[in-house]
């Protein structure tokens, strides 16, 4: 290891270390509070010595379980869903540990205690990690706590990686240089990133720029033994190596390593369009959709009265949309425009900001006063819960398209119709009306190819935040 790379204790490393230390302390505190609260509720505040001892031991057990499940590894901290997934898995392990220990030691733990302490510990731990992420994300949006990345490979692939990392700073990675193959024409920058050399200067660039991560993108010269030697050299410098497989818009859970005959083959799982998980999604939509419809009934009644008093016309706006497998259905929304909005559409064509496929006007004069308010907070979409209960839509899914849009779909966009459209989706939490048609399609395809119940839960959570901070709603 060279002197210039010894102890890479820069700001990014220090902040990640602070995040990890805070996570350890908060996880232990979560287990302690959960154990004390459940034991206190079970025994009406008169906690015996055995449960007091358990309250003292449980935080250590919980932290040990999370450490065993690699929930404190820096690469999982503060980015992606893997951190939360490992916490959830740790909850199942903790439940198993408590159950087995109670049986083996004949401790006769209260079933109410075991059944209550694990979910409460999970909830408090997840909440504390979410709070920590908010702190870390704020720093990264300010350009702090960022790990420096050197991109190596073809120039076009390097541009794509640099653009994605620039647009999503919450992941904590920023491209500071690129090594691209030598060409006849000298290239100084790709995507505003300086080109620091060709593929023969990777290690020199690592030392000069003080990078934390080398990202190898598509290039035939960086494979096999050459890539292995690069990994060895970077290991000596304590620099991480990541390799892009060139398969875009595919989530990590679908990619696994399959060892065959001494080879490490990348196995791409097929999207789960059917089977048990699909049935579970339908059940979740039916149960949760019904519950949300009941809870939203008072708000929907108030909105209906406001729409009726604000302007003449029906309370509900009915429109034909295209659902799964191309089946048309009638989608419900609260009317937010004047009754003759469709007739006025042609006169506003010159104000259209949505391109050929979509019609969007930021300050649409057809929107009523109440309509502007309910659109801002997505209250106009509450009647779509009826569509969810009827099985025509899902709580989470692609944007429900119009028949005229589907007629102009290319082959890629048609893939959106393989699942039921959603009341919310990646398009809703990633910009809403600010998105272009192409961006909306890419987000929908990403969801279709990578959907899971965990992803649905994340989108529903982000939807609640997007509604409270209604950017891009018009």
């Amino acid at each position: 290891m060279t002197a210039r790379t010894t102890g890479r204790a820069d700001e990014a490393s220090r902040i990640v270390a602070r995040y990890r230390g805070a996570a350890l302390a908060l996880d232990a505190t979560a287990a302690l509070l959960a154990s004390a609260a459940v034991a206190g509720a079970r025994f009406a505040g008169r906690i015996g010595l055995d449960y007091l001892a358990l309250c003292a031991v449980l935080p250590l057990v919980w932290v040990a379980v999370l450490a065993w499940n690699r929930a404190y590894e820096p690469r999982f901290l503060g980015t992606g869903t893997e951190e939360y997934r490992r916490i959830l898995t740790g909850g199942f392990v903790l439940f198993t540990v408590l159950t087995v220990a109670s049986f083996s030691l004949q401790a006769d733990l209260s079933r109410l205690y075991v059944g209550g302490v694990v979910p409460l510990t999970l909830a408090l731990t997840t909440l504390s990690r979410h709070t920590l992420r908010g702190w870390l994300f704020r720093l990264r949006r300010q350009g702090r706590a960022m790990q420096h990345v050197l991109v190596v490979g073809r120039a076009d692939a390097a541009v794509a990686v640099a653009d994605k990392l620039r647009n999503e700073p919450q992941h904590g990675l920023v491209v500071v240089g690129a090594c691209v193959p030598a060409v006849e024409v000298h290239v100084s920058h790709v995507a505003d990133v300086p080109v620091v050399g060709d593929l023969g200067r990777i290690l020199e660039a690592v030392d000069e720029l003080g990078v934390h991560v080398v990202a190898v993108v598509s290039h035939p010269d960086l494979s096999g033994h050459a890539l292995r030697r690069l990994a060895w050299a970077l290991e000596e410098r304590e620099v991480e190596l990541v390799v892009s497989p060139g398969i875009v818009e595919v989530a990590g859970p679908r990619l696994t390593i399959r060892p065959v005959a001494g080879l490490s083959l990348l196995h791409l799982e097929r999207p789960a369009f059917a089977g048990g998980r699909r049935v579970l999604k339908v059940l979740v939509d039916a149960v949760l959709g019904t519950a949300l419809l009941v809870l939203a009934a008072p708000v929907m009644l108030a909105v209906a009265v406001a729409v009726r008093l604000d302007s003449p016309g029906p309370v509900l706006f009915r429109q034909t949309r295209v659902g799964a497998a191309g089946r048309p259905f009638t989608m419900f929304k609260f009317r937010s425009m004047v009754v003759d909005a469709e007739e006025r559409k042609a006169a506003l064509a010159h104000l259209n900001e949505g391109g050929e496929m979509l019609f969007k006007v930021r300050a649409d004069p057809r929107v009523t006063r109440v309509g502007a308010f309910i659109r801002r907070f997505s209250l106009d979409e509450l009647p779509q819960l009826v569509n969810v209960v009827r099985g025509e839509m899902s709580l989470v899914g692609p944007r429900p398209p119009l028949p005229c849009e589907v007629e102009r779909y290319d082959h890629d966009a048609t893939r959106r119709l393989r699942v039921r459209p959603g009341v919310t989706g990646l398009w809703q939490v990633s910009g809403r009306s600010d998105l272009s048609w192409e961006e909306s399609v890419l987000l929908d395809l990403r969801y279709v190819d990578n959907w899971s119940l965990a992803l649905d839960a994340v989108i529903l959570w982000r939807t609640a935040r997007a509604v409270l901070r209604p950017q891009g709603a018009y």
Side-chain angles (χ1 to χ4, degrees):
M1 186 182 304
T2 63
R4 85 180 73 180
T5 60
T6 302
R8 233 176 251 279
D10 56 6
E11 183 187 46
S13 301
R14 289 195 302 270
I15 289 178
V16 170
R18 285 174 58 188
Y19 184 106
R20 186 182 184 185
L24 279 163
L26 290 173
D27 293 346
T29 303
L32 177 62
L33 292 176
S35 182
V38 174
R42 170 64 179 83
F43 301 105
R46 296 186 294 273
I47 306 176
L49 291 177
D50 50 350
Y51 278 92
L52 284 176
L54 187 56
C55 288
V57 171
L58 189 67
L60 300 178
V61 175
W62 178 229
V63 169
V65 166
L66 291 179
W68 171 81
N69 202 36
R70 300 162 63 191
Y72 298 114
E73 285 197 15
R75 60 188 174 128
F76 299 141
L77 297 179
T79 182
T81 60
E82 187 64 21
E83 182 178 10
Y84 292 126
R85 191 185 70 82
R86 291 182 180 273
I87 291 172
L88 181 61
T89 304
F92 288 110
V93 175
L94 179 63
F95 179 81
T96 303
V97 168
L98 289 177
T99 304
V100 172
S102 176
F103 177 78
S104 302
L105 302 176
Q106 296 183 348
D108 193 25
L109 286 178
S110 167
R111 285 176 292 181
L112 178 62
Y113 176 85
V114 176
V117 73
V118 173
L120 186 55
T121 299
L122 276 175
L124 292 177
T125 300
T126 303
L127 180 61
S128 65
R129 291 294 182 98
H130 178 72
T131 303
L132 277 177
R133 282 195 174 203
W135 164 72
L136 185 60
F137 287 0
R138 286 191 294 272
L139 290 180
R140 287 173 172 172
R141 282 195 294 267
Q142 297 168 7
R144 301 177 57 193
M146 303 294 283
Q147 289 189 309
H148 294 173
V149 179
L150 175 70
V151 181
V152 179
R154 289 202 329 259
D156 58 340
V159 168
V161 170
D163 286 342
K164 278 193 171 292
L165 295 182
R166 184 184 296 112
N167 294 332
E168 300 182 21
Q170 69 271 18
H171 296 299
L173 300 173
V174 58
V175 179
V176 296
C179 288
V180 299
V183 293
E184 295 181 1
V185 179
H186 176 70
V187 179
S188 61
H189 289 74
V190 291
D192 297 328
V193 174
V195 174
V196 294
D198 57 19
L199 302 185
R201 292 199 71 253
I202 296 176
L203 297 180
E204 289 86 344
V206 167
D207 292 337
E208 291 172 4
L209 299 177
V211 301
H212 308 84
V213 181
V214 172
V216 176
V217 296
S218 303
H219 196 276
D221 291 343
L222 286 173
S223 61
H225 192 58
L227 186 61
R228 192 180 185 188
R229 287 199 303 267
L230 177 61
W232 290 340
L234 294 178
E235 179 184 351
E236 295 177 357
R237 291 165 168 78
E238 298 182 1
V239 175
E240 295 183 25
L241 173 66
V242 296
V243 180
S244 171
I247 305 174
V248 297
E249 305 298 341
V250 175
R254 289 184 58 204
L255 297 176
T256 56
I257 299 298
R258 183 177 179 181
V260 176
L263 301 175
S264 296
L265 304 181
L266 191 64
H267 182 79
L268 179 61
E269 298 285 348
R270 289 179 294 178
F273 294 124
R277 286 195 300 164
R278 198 69 174 169
V279 172
L280 185 57
K281 179 177 173 66
V282 172
L283 292 176
V284 169
D285 281 336
V287 174
L288 188 56
T290 301
L292 291 175
L293 184 60
V294 172
L295 292 174
V299 177
M300 294 174 66
L301 179 61
V303 172
V305 172
V307 171
R308 174 56 61 88
L309 295 177
D310 181 55
S311 63
V315 170
L316 291 178
F317 173 70
R318 295 172 171 84
Q319 190 175 48
T320 299
R321 297 293 180 109
V322 179
R327 291 188 295 268
F329 69 97
T330 300
M331 189 185 75
F332 303 108
K333 296 179 70 174
F334 282 121
R335 181 175 59 83
S336 60
M337 290 186 174
V338 294
V339 177
D340 59 344
E342 286 300 313
E343 288 74 11
R344 298 190 191 183
K345 185 175 178 179
L348 299 174
H350 64 288
L351 300 176
N352 181 26
E353 303 174 22
E356 295 181 4
M357 294 295 290
L358 301 176
F359 186 85
K360 297 186 295 186
V361 178
R362 189 173 297 272
D364 198 325
R366 301 173 300 166
V367 178
T368 63
R369 289 175 300 174
V370 169
F373 177 82
I374 63 177
R375 279 185 169 214
R376 181 174 176 80
F377 294 99
S378 298
L379 298 176
D380 60 320
E381 298 174 3
L382 287 178
Q384 293 174 30
L385 291 173
V386 175
N387 294 116
V388 173
V389 174
R390 291 167 54 168
E392 298 161 335
M393 294 180 64
S394 176
L395 288 173
V396 182
R399 188 183 67 85
L402 292 164
C404 61
E405 296 174 9
V406 175
E407 291 175 358
R408 290 181 285 177
Y409 273 5
D410 57 20
H411 177 73
D412 291 345
T414 304
R415 190 172 177 82
R416 302 165 85 191
L417 304 179
R418 302 197 69 171
V419 299
R420 289 185 298 175
V423 177
T424 186
L426 284 176
W427 49 274
Q428 176 79 304
V429 299
S430 304
R432 301 165 81 173
S433 294
D434 288 336
L435 296 174
S436 67
W437 164 254
E438 291 77 13
E439 291 170 331
S440 177
V441 170
L442 285 176
L443 289 172
D444 283 344
L445 293 179
R446 180 189 301 176
Y447 175 81
V448 171
D449 285 342
N450 302 297
W451 82 268
S452 66
L453 291 177
L455 178 59
D456 283 0
V458 171
I459 291 174
L460 288 173
W461 168 254
R462 291 177 61 187
T463 297
R465 296 177 57 193
V467 169
L468 294 176
R469 292 184 296 181
Q471 181 179 0
Y474 55 88

